[in-house]
Amino acid sequence: MQRTPFGELPCPIARSLERVGEWWSILILRDAFHGLTRFDQFQKNLGIAPNMLTRRLNGLVEAGLLERRRYQEHPPRHDYVLTDRGVDFRPVLLALMTWGNRHFAPEGETVVLVDAKSGARADPVLVDRATGRPLDGPDFRLAAGPRATERTRERLAASPWGTTVATSAIPTKRNRTRRSAGKPS
C-alpha cells in the first residue's frame, strides 16, 4: 500500500502531519525538548530501531524542525538540536500531553505542566493573542484564508466550526517575540 503524501495539500493540518505525523517523530521532538540531542540518547530512551531512528531524524531535519550539528569528525557524529520551527511545536506537545492526561491516563498523570516559579499546576488553554479569550468557545470559527480553494471555502461555510466571514481583516503574518532554542527564560 502506497502512502498518500500530505505535503502539498491545501490544508495546514495535513501539511503539518506530513512533517510530524508519525508517532516516532513526535516522541523524538518530545525528547529533544527534554534535552536529548544525540542519536544514542534517542535510541536508548525510545527503544527505536536504528534504521527507523535515522529515517525519522532525517525527516525532522529536512522539515526544518531539527538541525544536525557535527560534534565529532571520526567517526562522524551529530547532535540534533531544535530549530525555531521545532521550538514552535512545543505548544502542540503540551496540548497533546494535556489531552492525553485528561482522556487516556486512568492510572493517573505521569507528567504535568507547572509554573516554574511557584510549582502551581497549569491548565493549558489555547487563547487568542490579541484578546486573551479561549479559542474553544463559540466565539471563534474557522475562516477561509486568502489562498483557500473554492472547495475549502464551501467546506468551511457548511461546517459548524466554520464561517463565511470576510478574510480581508485576517492578518497573514503574525508578530511575536522569539525565545532561544527551547530553553526557558
Side-chain angles (χ1 to χ4, degrees):
M1 175 182 259
Q2 190 169 4
R3 182 177 143 332
T4 302
F6 290 162
E8 299 302 317
L9 292 177
C11 170
I13 294 172
R15 288 180 180 186
S16 298
L17 286 172
E18 179 71 21
R19 278 67 178 191
V20 298
E22 297 178 359
W23 60 77
W24 287 122
S25 297
I26 293 174
L27 293 175
I28 290 167
L29 289 169
R30 175 205 63 190
D31 284 358
F33 277 104
H34 291 170
L36 277 60
T37 61
R38 297 197 173 167
F39 187 96
D40 59 327
Q41 293 173 322
F42 290 117
Q43 187 178 21
K44 181 179 179 185
N45 197 56
L46 296 171
I48 184 174
N51 61 334
M52 180 65 70
L53 179 56
T54 298
R55 279 198 300 266
R56 295 296 164 256
L57 287 170
N58 287 340
L60 290 167
V61 168
E62 288 171 18
L65 293 153
L66 293 177
E67 178 184 338
R68 185 181 291 116
R69 294 181 185 164
R70 186 170 286 195
Y71 69 86
Q72 179 179 308
E73 291 295 325
H74 301 290
R77 298 275 188 258
H78 299 91
D79 280 324
Y80 294 88
V81 181
L82 289 163
T83 62
D84 285 346
R85 185 180 289 181
V87 170
D88 278 350
F89 194 71
R90 185 171 190 257
V92 177
L93 284 176
L94 294 175
L96 192 58
M97 178 195 74
T98 302
W99 183 71
N101 276 341
R102 185 171 297 136
H103 297 288
F104 305 111
E107 72 286 353
E109 302 157 325
T110 58
V111 178
V112 295
L113 186 64
V114 298
D115 182 293
K117 292 181 181 164
S118 71
R121 292 259 323 242
D123 184 20
V125 294
L126 191 59
V127 299
D128 175 46
R129 184 181 304 273
T131 65
R133 295 186 350 240
L135 298 178
D136 63 351
D139 294 338
F140 292 92
R141 301 280 186 219
L142 299 174
R147 303 277 300 167
T149 63
E150 190 57 36
R151 180 173 177 242
T152 298
R153 292 177 194 286
E154 290 169 1
R155 191 174 65 242
L156 289 172
S159 166
W161 294 98
T163 185
T164 56
V165 69
T167 58
S168 60
I170 300 173
T172 56
K173 302 225 181 213
R174 60 184 180 168
N175 297 323
R176 56 188 234 157
T177 305
R178 301 280 331 145
R179 290 172 70 147
S180 63
K183 302 290 184 198
S185 39

